[in-house]
Amino acid sequence: MHYAQTLALLGDIEAELKALEFWSEVRPSEAAMASTAPFCCDLMPIEHWLQFIFLPRMHQLIEMGQPLPTKIAIAPMGEHVWAGLASHKALIALLNDLDVLLNEPS
């Protein structure tokens, strides 16, 4: 498992979300949190999905010593949502680094 490297990237992603002022103190509604659409894209922006669903779930998997996802592709969604925004390149690069790391065999 790539726990240490994954934790470092999760921390970097959180820091970049905060730097971009995407970090929210307001939790999405229960309906949004229950969305079954990929990235909950029908009811929340991707930055909320990262903060309130993805990051906590990844931390939970690591804390419990559970297997991490091995087929992951978050960066393409970030590229789609933030297309053409130079200010978001670092966040997309971090998401890509995480995708690459988790898609590698352990």
Side-chain angles (χ1 to χ4, degrees):
M1 301 290 160
H2 304 289
Y3 291 142
Q5 292 170 290
T6 301
L7 275 173
L9 280 170
L10 295 176
D12 292 345
I13 290 167
E14 179 176 333
E16 191 62 25
L17 287 168
K18 289 177 179 177
L20 290 168
E21 298 182 358
F22 280 161
W23 203 255
S24 177
E25 298 300 321
V26 180
R27 183 176 171 85
S29 70
E30 288 305 314
M33 296 291 286
S35 170
T36 58
F39 307 100
C40 300
C41 65
D42 58 338
L43 297 174
M44 70 175 77
I46 188 173
E47 54 268 19
H48 285 181
W49 177 82
L50 287 165
Q51 178 183 350
F52 293 103
I53 295 176
F54 180 73
L55 292 174
R57 180 67 179 137
M58 292 297 291
H59 283 288
Q60 181 183 37
L61 290 173
I62 292 168
E63 288 169 13
M64 297 177 71
Q66 297 293 311
L68 299 175
T70 57
K71 293 182 181 172
I72 188 167
I74 301 171
M77 183 63 166
E79 290 170 350
H80 172 74
V81 171
W82 302 311
L85 297 174
S87 59
H88 296 64
K89 284 186 179 187
L91 179 56
I92 293 168
L94 289 168
L95 295 173
N96 186 65
D97 290 347
L98 185 64
D99 287 350
V100 169
L101 175 66
L102 293 177
N103 286 312
E104 289 177 356
S106 321

